[in-house]
Amino acid sequence: MYQVIVHFSYQNFEQDPVTLIGQILNQWLYNGQVIGREMPITFHQNGFQASVCTPEQESLLPDNNSEEVNEALLQAVENGVNFTGFEIVGRDYQGEETSHNKQPKFQILYTTHLDTCSPLYDGEQFAPIPLYRLKDQALSEALLEWQQNWQACDLLQMKGSVLEESALMQISDNRSELAISGLDLCKQVEEKTQIPTFYYLYRLGTDELEEHNRKCPSCNGEWKLASPLHEIFHFKCDHCRLISNLSWELL
């Protein structure tokens, strides 16, 4: 990830420039070109600036724009606000490093309540893939919405005092509404990219024997890996496109 300052000029504007800039920032967010919802806009002597976080140094280049981003930029120009450029402040060493692999062997839909990066991961490097590589902003938005719901459930089951069991079920049961939605998104991503895309099932359990011998919850087939993948995933079903951890309570 990179910390970036984006610059906007304005003249004879007919609408509130902050609103127009906010629309551009939102479309960048939905397209995966910026990460995180905290994007402060400040006024300086010659125009406005916004501080954003991007997956790559080139994330804001026009080649990565969606139609929705271009429409927001055009609407701003028509009302006197111009995106004039951006400057890279530096790499964010607390952020995840973006995958540089354009054709991974497989992908994983994965997140935690602490993550701000893309929920689509390169399965080989276990690094987030910028969503604008999908070239489908509607799909990117759906993935971000799924991520928000998953993170809300994760936070509830980790730190909440109410709805813990319901939240845990949503992220750990492949028959839950959230999992069904996520599995459908995985299918869409796989169709779009032609890359096998797996859905992550969170797991908690205290019975060690049961944990080590559990079957795929979808097909009841063997899915335990000979050795953990990325020190996180101990189970993987290629047929059902499911991937999971050994219970965190046993690690």
Side-chain angles (χ1 to χ4, degrees):
M1 292 186 191
Y2 292 85
Q3 294 295 324
V4 177
I5 296 176
V6 291
H7 298 274
F8 299 90
S9 65
Y10 70 95
Q11 56 182 345
N12 302 321
F13 51 84
E14 298 178 3
Q15 292 188 32
D16 177 7
V18 175
T19 299
L20 293 164
I21 292 169
Q23 290 173 352
I24 295 170
L25 297 178
N26 284 336
Q27 295 306 322
W28 277 337
L29 173 67
Y30 301 147
N31 194 42
Q33 289 170 274
V34 301
I35 297 170
R37 295 181 179 274
E38 292 188 12
M39 298 177 281
I41 301 171
T42 54
F43 177 75
H44 298 266
Q45 186 174 4
N46 297 316
F48 289 91
Q49 295 181 2
S51 299
V52 301
C53 184
T54 64
E56 301 176 289
Q57 294 189 58
E58 62 270 23
S59 297
L60 297 182
L61 293 180
D63 286 348
N64 295 319
N65 288 356
S66 63
E67 290 184 8
E68 293 87 345
V69 168
N70 287 331
E71 287 174 6
L73 289 167
L74 179 59
Q75 183 181 3
V77 169
E78 290 174 345
N79 288 278
V81 176
N82 289 273
F83 166 49
T84 57
F86 63 91
E87 58 182 295
I88 307 293
V89 176
R91 180 180 168 186
D92 182 350
Y93 286 94
Q94 289 187 310
E96 296 283 349
E97 184 174 355
T98 297
S99 170
H100 300 293
N101 187 357
K102 298 298 174 66
Q103 282 293 319
K105 291 182 180 178
F106 66 100
Q107 302 170 140
I108 304 170
L109 186 58
Y110 171 90
T111 193
T112 75
H113 72 276
L114 297 173
D115 290 346
T116 58
C117 60
S118 163
L120 185 63
Y121 276 70
D122 172 349
E124 293 179 273
Q125 298 179 356
F126 197 57
I129 299 170
L131 293 179
Y132 51 79
R133 291 185 191 169
L134 294 173
K135 302 295 184 183
D136 185 337
Q137 184 167 314
L139 180 54
S140 296
E141 285 192 62
L143 288 166
L144 291 173
E145 182 179 354
W146 170 88
Q147 182 181 39
Q148 281 188 301
N149 287 326
W150 204 101
Q151 290 176 330
C153 290
D154 191 30
L155 190 60
L156 272 175
Q157 69 90 18
M158 288 283 290
K159 301 180 181 297
S161 57
V162 295
L163 300 177
E164 292 174 78
E165 290 186 9
S166 296
L168 178 59
M169 184 273 290
Q170 285 294 327
I171 62 177
S172 61
D173 190 332
N174 64 302
R175 299 163 298 180
S176 72
E177 182 179 352
L178 185 59
I180 290 171
S181 170
L183 284 163
D184 180 64
L185 288 170
C186 286
K187 289 180 181 178
Q188 293 182 53
V189 170
E190 184 164 334
E191 289 174 3
K192 189 82 177 177
T193 62
Q194 296 299 298
I195 298 171
T197 304
F198 289 75
Y199 183 79
Y200 168 63
L201 279 180
Y202 183 89
R203 177 69 179 182
L204 282 183
T206 56
D207 188 321
E208 187 169 357
L209 183 62
E210 178 184 345
E211 278 301 299
H212 283 281
N213 291 283
R214 64 188 175 99
K215 311 295 185 186
C216 171
S218 181
C219 69
N220 202 38
E222 298 291 340
W223 68 327
K224 188 176 182 185
L225 298 170
S227 58
L229 180 65
H230 305 304
E231 302 300 323
I232 296 176
F233 309 110
H234 296 73
F235 302 90
K236 181 171 175 278
C237 182
D238 292 333
H239 177 265
C240 300
R241 297 290 196 259
L242 290 174
I243 194 165
S244 187
N245 59 286
L246 189 69
S247 171
W248 297 114
E249 294 179 309
L250 299 179
L251 296 175

